[in-house]
Coordinates of all heavy atoms in Angstrom, one line a residue:
V21 N 211.6 89.4 127.5 CA 212.5 90.7 127.9 C 213.4 90.7 126.9 O 214.2 89.7 126.5 CB 213.1 90.2 129.3 CG1 214.0 91.6 129.8 CG2 212.0 90.0 130.4
P22 N 213.6 91.9 126.3 CA 214.6 92.1 125.1 C 215.9 91.6 125.6 O 216.4 91.8 126.6 CB 214.5 93.6 124.9 CG 213.3 94.0 125.4 CD 212.9 93.1 126.6
S23 N 216.7 91.1 124.7 CA 218.0 90.4 124.9 C 219.0 91.5 125.4 O 219.9 91.2 126.1 CB 218.5 89.7 123.7 OG 218.6 90.5 122.7
D24 N 218.8 92.8 125.0 CA 219.8 93.6 125.4 C 219.5 94.4 126.8 O 220.1 95.4 127.3 CB 219.8 94.9 124.4 CG 218.5 95.6 124.2 OD1 217.4 95.1 124.7 OD2 218.5 96.7 123.6
T25 N 218.4 93.9 127.4 CA 218.1 94.3 128.8 C 219.2 94.0 129.8 O 219.8 93.0 129.8 CB 216.7 93.6 129.2 OG1 215.7 94.0 128.4 CG2 216.4 94.2 130.6
L26 N 219.3 95.1 130.6 CA 220.4 94.9 131.7 C 219.9 93.9 132.7 O 218.7 93.9 133.1 CB 220.5 96.3 132.4 CG 221.3 96.3 133.7 CD1 222.8 96.0 133.5 CD2 221.2 97.7 134.4
R27 N 220.7 93.0 133.1 CA 220.3 91.9 133.9 C 221.3 91.6 135.0 O 222.5 91.9 134.8 CB 220.2 90.5 133.2 CG 219.0 90.4 132.2 CD 219.1 89.3 131.3 NE 218.1 89.3 130.3 CZ 216.9 88.8 130.5 NH1 216.5 88.2 131.6 NH2 216.0 88.9 129.5
D28 N 220.8 91.1 136.2 CA 221.8 90.9 137.3 C 222.3 89.4 137.1 O 222.2 88.8 136.1 CB 221.0 91.1 138.6 CG 220.0 89.9 138.9 OD1 220.0 88.9 138.1 OD2 219.3 90.0 139.9
S29 N 223.2 89.1 138.1 CA 223.9 87.8 138.0 C 223.0 86.6 137.9 O 223.5 85.4 137.5 CB 225.0 87.7 139.1 OG 224.3 87.5 140.2
R30 N 221.8 86.7 138.2 CA 220.8 85.7 138.2 C 219.8 85.9 137.0 O 218.7 85.2 137.0 CB 220.0 85.5 139.5 CG 220.9 85.2 140.6 CD 220.1 84.9 141.9 NE 221.1 84.7 143.0 CZ 221.6 83.4 143.1 NH1 221.4 82.5 142.5 NH2 222.6 83.3 144.1
G31 N 220.1 86.8 136.1 CA 219.3 87.0 134.9 C 218.1 87.8 135.1 O 217.2 87.9 134.1
R32 N 218.1 88.5 136.2 CA 216.8 89.2 136.5 C 216.9 90.7 136.0 O 217.9 91.4 136.3 CB 216.5 89.2 138.0 CG 216.3 87.9 138.6 CD 216.3 87.9 140.1 NE 217.6 88.2 140.6 CZ 217.9 88.1 141.9 NH1 216.9 87.7 142.8 NH2 219.1 88.3 142.4
P33 N 216.0 91.2 135.2 CA 216.1 92.5 134.7 C 215.7 93.6 135.8 O 215.1 93.2 136.8 CB 214.9 92.6 133.7 CG 213.9 91.6 134.1 CD 214.7 90.5 134.9
L34 N 216.3 94.8 135.6 CA 215.9 95.9 136.4 C 214.6 96.6 136.1 O 214.6 97.1 134.9 CB 217.1 96.8 136.3 CG 216.9 98.3 137.1 CD1 216.7 98.1 138.6 CD2 218.1 99.1 136.8
R35 N 213.6 96.6 136.8 CA 212.4 97.2 136.4 C 211.7 98.1 137.3 O 211.0 99.0 136.9 CB 211.4 96.0 136.1 CG 211.7 95.2 134.9 CD 211.2 96.0 133.6 NE 211.4 95.2 132.5 CZ 212.5 95.4 131.6 NH1 213.3 96.4 131.8 NH2 212.6 94.7 130.5
D36 N 212.0 97.9 138.6 CA 211.3 98.7 139.7 C 212.2 99.4 140.5 O 213.3 98.9 140.9 CB 210.5 97.8 140.7 CG 209.6 96.8 139.9 OD1 210.0 96.0 139.3 OD2 208.4 97.0 140.1
V82 N 218.4 108.4 135.2 CA 219.5 107.5 134.7 C 218.9 105.9 134.9 O 219.2 105.2 133.9 CB 220.8 107.7 135.5 CG1 221.9 106.6 135.0 CG2 221.4 109.1 135.1
L83 N 218.2 105.6 135.9 CA 217.8 104.3 136.1 C 216.8 104.0 135.1 O 216.6 102.8 134.6 CB 217.4 104.1 137.5 CG 218.5 103.9 138.6 CD1 217.9 104.1 140.0 CD2 219.2 102.6 138.3
V84 N 215.9 105.0 134.8 CA 214.9 104.7 133.7 C 215.6 104.5 132.4 O 215.2 103.6 131.7 CB 214.1 105.9 133.7 CG1 213.1 105.8 132.4 CG2 213.0 106.0 134.8
G85 N 216.7 105.0 132.2 CA 217.5 104.9 130.9 C 218.0 103.4 130.9 O 218.3 102.8 129.9
L86 N 218.1 102.7 132.2 CA 218.7 101.4 132.3 C 217.6 100.3 132.3 O 217.8 99.2 132.5 CB 219.5 101.3 133.5 CG 220.8 102.3 133.4 CD1 221.7 102.0 134.7 CD2 221.8 101.9 132.3
G87 N 216.2 100.8 132.3 CA 215.2 99.7 132.2 C 214.2 100.0 133.1 O 213.2 99.2 133.1
V88 N 214.3 100.8 134.2 CA 213.2 100.9 135.2 C 212.0 101.4 134.5 O 211.9 102.4 133.7 CB 213.7 101.9 136.3 CG1 212.4 102.5 137.2 CG2 214.7 101.3 137.3
R89 N 210.9 100.8 134.8 CA 209.5 101.1 134.3 C 208.5 101.6 135.3 O 207.4 102.0 135.0 CB 209.0 99.9 133.4 CG 209.7 99.5 132.3 CD 209.5 100.4 131.1 NE 210.4 100.1 130.0 CZ 211.5 100.6 129.9 NH1 212.1 101.6 130.8 NH2 212.3 100.4 128.9
C285 N 212.5 88.9 141.2 CA 212.6 90.2 141.9 C 213.5 91.3 141.0 O 214.7 91.0 140.8 CB 213.3 90.0 143.3 SG 213.4 91.6 144.1
S286 N 212.8 92.2 140.6 CA 213.5 93.2 139.7 C 213.5 94.6 140.4 O 213.6 95.6 139.7 CB 212.6 93.4 138.4 OG 211.3 93.7 138.7
L288 N 215.1 97.6 142.8 CA 216.2 98.3 143.4 C 215.7 99.4 144.3 O 214.6 100.1 144.0 CB 217.0 99.0 142.3 CG 218.3 99.9 142.6 CD1 219.3 98.9 143.2 CD2 218.9 100.4 141.4
L322 N 227.5 107.9 136.0 CA 226.5 107.3 136.9 C 225.8 106.1 136.3 O 225.7 105.1 137.1 CB 225.5 108.4 137.3 CG 224.3 108.1 138.1 CD1 224.7 107.5 139.4 CD2 223.4 109.4 138.2
A323 N 225.6 106.2 135.1 CA 225.0 105.0 134.5 C 225.9 103.7 134.5 O 225.4 102.7 134.7 CB 224.6 105.3 133.1
A324 N 227.1 103.9 134.3 CA 228.2 102.9 134.3 C 228.1 102.3 135.8 O 228.2 101.0 135.8 CB 229.6 103.4 134.0
R325 N 228.2 103.2 136.7 CA 228.2 102.6 138.2 C 226.9 101.7 138.5 O 227.1 100.8 139.0 CB 228.4 103.8 139.1 CG 228.6 103.2 140.5 CD 229.5 104.0 141.2 NE 229.6 103.4 142.6 CZ 229.9 104.0 143.7 NH1 230.2 105.3 143.7 NH2 230.1 103.4 144.8
L326 N 225.8 102.3 138.1 CA 224.6 101.6 138.3 C 224.5 100.4 137.5 O 223.9 99.2 138.1 CB 223.3 102.5 138.0 CG 223.3 103.9 138.8 CD1 222.2 104.8 138.2 CD2 222.9 103.5 140.3
T327 N 225.0 100.3 136.2 CA 225.0 99.1 135.5 C 225.7 98.1 136.2 O 225.4 96.9 136.3 CB 225.5 99.4 134.2 OG1 224.8 100.4 133.5 CG2 225.6 98.1 133.3
A328 N 227.0 98.4 136.7 CA 227.9 97.4 137.3 C 227.2 96.9 138.6 O 227.3 95.7 139.0 CB 229.2 98.1 137.6
L329 N 226.5 97.9 139.3 CA 225.9 97.4 140.6 C 224.8 96.4 140.4 O 224.8 95.3 141.0 CB 225.2 98.6 141.2 CG 224.4 98.4 142.5 CD1 225.4 98.3 143.7 CD2 223.5 99.5 142.7
W330 N 224.0 96.6 139.3 CA 222.9 95.7 139.0 C 223.5 94.4 138.5 O 223.0 93.2 138.8 CB 222.0 96.3 138.0 CG 220.7 95.4 138.0 CD1 220.4 94.5 136.9 CD2 219.6 95.3 138.9 NE1 219.2 93.8 137.2 CE2 218.6 94.3 138.4 CE3 219.4 96.0 140.1 CZ2 217.7 93.9 139.1 CZ3 218.2 95.6 140.8 CH2 217.3 94.5 140.2
Q331 N 224.5 94.4 137.6 CA 225.2 93.2 137.1 C 225.6 92.3 138.1 O 225.7 91.0 138.0 CB 226.3 93.5 136.0 CG 225.4 94.0 134.6 CD 226.5 94.6 133.7 OE1 227.6 95.0 134.1 NE2 226.2 94.6 132.4
L332 N 226.2 93.0 139.1 CA 226.8 92.1 140.3 C 225.8 91.5 141.3 O 226.1 90.7 142.0 CB 227.8 93.0 141.1 CG 229.2 93.2 140.5 CD1 229.9 94.3 141.3 CD2 229.9 91.9 140.2
R333 N 224.5 92.1 141.1 CA 223.6 91.7 142.1 C 223.2 90.2 142.1 O 223.1 89.5 141.0 CB 222.4 92.4 141.8 CG 221.0 92.0 142.6 CD 219.8 92.8 142.2 NE 218.6 92.7 143.0 CZ 217.4 92.1 142.7 NH1 217.5 91.5 141.5 NH2 216.5 92.1 143.5

Side-chain angles (χ1 to χ4, degrees):
V21 179
S23 54
D24 60 348
T25 297
L26 175 62
R27 287 168 189 274
D28 72 7
S29 70
R30 299 185 179 278
R32 300 169 293 191
L34 170 62
R35 287 285 179 257
D36 303 73
V82 171
L83 286 166
V84 167
L86 296 178
V88 163
R89 296 281 171 273
C285 179
S286 54
L288 181 63
L322 177 55
R325 181 141 186 209
L326 296 170
T327 299
L329 177 80
W330 190 260
Q331 285 173 332
L332 283 172
R333 176 186 190 243

